[in-house]
Amino acid sequence: MDHGGHGMTMDLPPFTLARGLEFGGDPFFLVGCVLALGLYGWGAARLWRRGDAWPVGRLVSFAIGVVTIAIAMCTKLNDYGMVMFSVHMVQHMIISMVSPILLLLGAPVTLTLRALPAAGRGRKGPRELLVMLLHSRYVRIISHPAFTIPLFIASLYALYFTPLFDFLMESKAGHIAMMVHFLAVGLVFFWPIMGVDPGPHRPGYVMRMLELFAGMPFHAFFGIALMMASEPMVGVYEHPPASLGIDALSDQTWAGGIAWAFSEIPSVIVLVALVHQWYKSEQRQARRIDRTADRDGDQELAAYNAYLASLQSRSG
């Protein structure tokens, strides 16, 4: 059986994790992963060669993020995802929620800005163009929660509950475009929340947490809707190949459970990262106050105490 004109045989044996993790999948993502690792490694090496620090933890985070993309798209999971809704949902959740978080913790934009050389006076090189893009109206719009949260939600409901999903699955280009879209939406959604790389929209930590949790319940509702459905809701998975030995409705129930579970896991990871960033920010602020106090001999504190004493003498 050929699936959707992709030109590959989809009479796959029953799914197992070992079969799913066999090398295969899409060369587009394989090239992209290798290129991303190569460019990031070049940037980090450039900084280290000139004696600048770049945290190894960021490099490891970015590398693991790229590996998660490779696992989702460059293995047989990609083949099984074409005919099994549950496997496709694993791909979707990894690409849109796990990979973006890990990539963003690697601070690729910051690394790029530090690694690229500055152009001469009056000229605009790649670094200057990137800075202009970061400060552009376009980036301000796509990084604002009024845009990112509806986009994050629409990527579930407007895609799976309309004929758009079936249309995209009919061609290899459509499938690639859909998975690139999932990755891009995840990056745009988590970028202002993570706050590692520079950007135009940088709310306080409490607001970031609110932005994070504003989108997550919709993932849970989406998963529950799939689990409670009494018939297959996505046409392309309505008649799975007999060789898989699965029932379309039970596979859809698994897909819903995966979507529900994944709405919680990334939230915890991001929340831990935000609390850690908040703690470090408070510590830096405390050290700045201490240094200021050391320089001026606690004049600010003395002035405040004198103010309190004057209030007390007036009331007396």
Side-chain angles (χ1 to χ4, degrees):
M1 168 183 174
D2 281 350
H3 180 83
H6 281 240
M8 57 180 128
T9 302
M10 284 301 170
D11 282 332
L12 297 166
F15 177 80
T16 64
L17 186 59
R19 286 172 180 155
L21 293 179
E22 289 176 6
F23 181 75
D26 200 290
F28 174 87
F29 280 93
L30 180 60
V31 171
C33 287
V34 171
L35 193 60
L37 284 176
L39 289 172
Y40 192 97
W42 171 83
R46 183 178 172 84
L47 262 60
W48 291 331
R49 277 198 304 269
R50 70 187 190 205
D52 292 343
W54 185 255
V56 175
R58 287 184 175 180
L59 186 148
V60 171
S61 177
F62 187 86
I64 295 174
V66 173
V67 168
T68 60
I69 296 173
I71 289 171
M73 299 305 303
C74 304
T75 65
K76 292 293 184 182
L77 286 178
N78 199 45
D79 290 350
Y80 279 100
M82 300 301 299
V83 289
M84 291 180 66
F85 199 3
S86 56
V87 177
H88 167 83
M89 194 56 67
V90 170
Q91 289 181 283
H92 179 168
M93 294 298 114
I94 290 174
I95 287 287
S96 68
M97 301 188 77
V98 177
S99 304
I101 292 169
L102 291 167
L103 293 175
L104 290 168
L105 285 173
V109 176
T110 302
L111 177 63
T112 303
L113 289 171
R114 291 183 60 187
L116 287 173
R121 181 177 296 179
R123 294 192 300 176
K124 291 178 181 177
R127 187 180 186 279
E128 288 71 26
L129 292 173
L130 178 57
V131 171
M132 285 176 60
L133 177 63
L134 290 172
H135 290 90
S136 67
R137 180 180 295 180
Y138 169 75
V139 170
R140 281 201 301 274
I141 291 170
I142 67 166
S143 65
H144 195 279
F147 179 85
T148 60
I149 294 172
L151 180 66
F152 193 67
I153 296 165
S155 292
L156 287 173
Y157 295 90
L159 184 66
Y160 290 100
F161 295 161
T162 69
L164 181 59
F165 183 81
D166 290 340
F167 171 74
L168 291 172
M169 291 288 280
E170 287 177 0
S171 68
K172 186 174 182 179
H175 182 243
I176 290 173
M178 177 171 58
M179 302 311 283
V180 170
H181 169 78
F182 290 152
L183 179 61
V185 168
L187 288 169
V188 167
F189 178 76
F190 288 110
W191 175 31
I193 294 173
M194 301 302 293
V196 180
D197 276 326
H201 177 64
R202 279 294 175 270
Y205 288 98
V206 173
M207 187 57 66
R208 291 188 206 177
M209 292 177 188
L210 291 175
E211 285 181 31
L212 171 66
F213 290 114
M216 293 308 150
F218 292 94
H219 260 267
F221 297 151
F222 171 75
I224 292 168
L226 290 178
M227 293 170 71
M228 295 186 68
S230 58
E231 59 183 23
M233 299 181 71
V234 180
V236 75
Y237 296 118
E238 210 168 345
H239 304 290
S243 61
L244 291 172
I246 62 170
D247 172 67
L249 192 57
S250 62
D251 187 53
Q252 179 174 280
T253 303
W254 273 101
I258 290 162
W260 188 9
F262 262 93
S263 68
E264 306 299 330
I265 298 168
S267 303
V268 173
I269 296 171
V270 175
L271 191 58
V272 169
L274 281 177
V275 170
H276 179 66
Q277 289 175 19
W278 197 352
Y279 172 74
K280 287 176 67 177
S281 174
E282 291 294 319
Q283 288 221 313
R284 284 195 298 270
Q285 180 68 15
R287 284 196 295 270
R288 277 197 296 270
I289 293 171
D290 289 343
R291 285 196 298 268
T292 303
D294 289 341
R295 283 197 302 270
D296 62 18
D298 273 342
Q299 287 180 14
E300 186 178 343
L301 180 60
Y304 182 67
N305 287 334
Y307 170 71
L308 291 178
S310 69
L311 289 177
Q312 188 172 5
S313 65
R314 273 183 231 164
S315 62

